[in-house]
Each structure stands twice: as structure tokens, then as C-alpha cells.
Amino acid sequence: LLQAEGLTPRLLSLAIQHEYQTSYYTDALHLREVPRLLAEYPGLMDTLHLHSENKPAGPILFFMAFIELFGPGDASAYASACCIAVLAALVVPATFHMVRALTQSREAAFCAAALTVLCPALALGLPGMDQLTPLFTCLLISTWTCALRMDSRSAAIGFGASLAVALFFSPLILVIGFFLFGLTVLHVAPRAQREVRLRAVARQVALAMLTLVGLYVAAFALTGYDAIAVFREILGSKHDWDANLTRQEILGRPYWKAVISDPWEFALGTGWLIGLLALFRLRDALRTRTGTWLIEVLALLQIAIMPQLGFVRGESARLWLFLVPLLVLPAGMELAQWTARRRALALACLLCVLVTIFLNMRFKG
């Protein structure tokens, strides 16, 4: 049905309003008139649709804002889809800034951003809310890197605020805590001024956590939104499912099958070539052990542990989009070492993969 519509504004409106395509718009319509919505949200979660039922209130409020501005129907759905497109496009400069902050290499940052532009899952996922998660990843890593290296209080506060907003949309972003922790260890590891750095890191962590907790305490005081109760509901995943089976088992996604199939699907979603470039860089990094090789290895380790965690299984091309900035980090470093002609050829190949995937996509009505 959606495929028959072609690439038109109507397609975006249909996708946004479909109760199982995004779900959030549908539930935003239903919950508009609920008094003290945020205070009642934990108790309402088991009445929500497919994607909304295990998410915080952020996505629903996002669409509710457009419904209030433009009214229910195609206008608000299309406006929200356009906003998602603009925010998803910001992933490209955000990736550039993140890679440059981590590597101090403008050329590697440019190559990483170029690869992000042509990432199939990011380019073809419109108008899914998962397209916004790489933006949170870049923001968190960039602000924390700045807080560590410059001992910046404002960056630490920015990190705490960014984390609060990210968790209002999806708790899955907490997974990159592994990378952030590793980044922190690498910062304090050198013996020179280790004690000074440890004290500085302790201050930054305290500031970030105070900001995070303070914002949620303020939200609870002003609106009654109980973030802890919401996360308990998300972890419980009891909504309309068999109590004897986990959500993933009911969906036919056993753990060991997902461990194998999810990385494969993520590689497809990133166009194969990005993953290959990252592996080439890993080989060179382990051999030469120079520059930012530990950070690049850490980024790939973050991706490698994702299927082992088993938090989400299946649809990794969509659900793992927040890991794309970490994949293009070593891939961009690799591409930066190539000649201009070889870079152009690599990007042309990735474009061909992107077009091929698009032409073979099938949509369920």
C-alpha cells in the first residue's frame, strides 16, 4: 500500500499516522485530552500501541506538539515528518563534530560525515524516530569529551542535560555508557597528573549527575512525571504479553539467533562498505598502535557487545542506528588515509549499495 503511493508527501503522512508504523502519533491523538498526562503516564503505558508501549513519554509529546499546532490529520503528520527529516540531517554535522573532537582530525571527521550521508538505514528510514538516536549519541560523546579534555563545567552540565533529554525518548542510549566509561579510563590512565585528572573527572561526573537528577526531580515536581516508574514499566514489558514468556520470545527472537543475525542486519543497514572500512582500520590500528587507535577499538567493541546484551533483538538496522556514529569513527579514519580518487570510488560504491537497497525495499501495508 505504502509502496504504491510513491515518494510523495502523502506517503510520509500515512507512515506517521499508521498505528504500527510509528505508533506515537496515534497515541498522541488518544492521549491529548488526558488530564495530568505525564503524572498518569506509567499507568497508561499498557494501553499504548506497538512502539509506544515500551518508550518514555518523549516521542508522544513530540507528535502531540505538532497536533496542537496544526490540528489532527495530514498537516500535522507531514510537518512532524519534515521535522524528523531536518533533525536526522543534523546527524551529519554532529558526526563531524564528534569525530573531530575524538581524533583531532578534520579530514577523518569529513570522511566519517560523508559515510553517514550515504548510510542506507539513516537515509531510507524516514520518518522513523530511530533516526534521531544518532544525534543523541554524537551530543553525549562530544560534550563528555569536551568535559574531560577541557575540564569544562558547562560541558559536564550539557552532558547531563543531553542525557536527560535522550532518556526521555529512549533508554537504549544508556548502552553507550560502555564507550563513555572506556573514554574516561583512557583519559585518566596516563601516570602524569593522574590524581589531578581523577579529581577533575569526579567533579564532572558529579555535575553531570546533579544536572540529570535535578531535571527529573524538577519534572516530577512540576508535572508529576515519575521517570523511575516509567523505566520499571519498560523493563517489565508486561503489556498484553504472555507472563510466562519474554517480549522477545513472543516475537520469535531467541537470544542466540539474534547474536548472529543482528550484526548481519546492522552491516546491511550500514551498506556493508562502512563496516568493511572499519575492519580495515581495526587491522591497521592493532598492528601499528598509534594515534587514537584505542578509541577506535573501543568504538568497535561497543558495537560488538550490543548483540551480547540481548536488550533488543531483530530490526537492528533500525534499532542500532544510535551506533552508526561509532562505526563511522574508525571507518572515517581509514578513508582519510586513502587517496582522493580511491575515496571517491568508495563513496560511489556506497551510493550504489544505497540505491540498490532502496530499489529492493518492500513495505507492508
Side-chain angles (χ1 to χ4, degrees), residues 49-62:
H49 290 79
L50 181 63
H51 294 109
S52 305
E53 66 178 2
N54 63 347
K55 295 289 192 306
I60 290 177
L61 290 187
F62 174 86

Side-chain angles (χ1 to χ4, degrees), residues 231-305:
F231 291 143
R232 283 177 179 171
E233 286 292 317
I234 293 171
L235 291 173
S237 296
K238 299 176 182 178
H239 319 307
D240 298 326
W241 302 103
D242 187 330
N244 297 318
L245 295 174
T246 67
R247 178 189 180 96
Q248 303 298 340
E249 288 168 343
I250 290 174
L251 291 172
R253 299 169 179 173
Y255 177 79
W256 289 112
K257 180 181 178 182
V259 167
I260 298 172
S261 62
D262 283 3
W264 182 266
E265 184 177 339
F266 179 65
L268 173 62
T270 52
W272 300 113
L273 190 89
I274 300 177
L276 285 174
L277 288 171
L279 290 177
F280 291 157
R281 178 59 184 172
L282 176 64
R283 176 201 61 193
D284 293 341
L286 293 176
R287 186 176 66 242
T288 61
R289 300 187 180 185
T290 58
T292 58
W293 74 278
L294 279 173
I295 294 177
E296 297 161 44
V297 171
L298 185 63
L300 292 178
L301 279 176
Q302 171 69 86
I303 298 172
I305 68 169

Side-chain angles (χ1 to χ4, degrees), residues 11 33 78 128 137 168 172 184 210 230 246 265 269 273 292 322 325 348:
L11 170 64
E33 306 301 328
Y78 182 62
T137 298
F168 195 55
L172 194 59
T184 306
L210 282 173
V230 170
T246 67
E265 184 177 339
L273 190 89
T292 58
F322 72 100

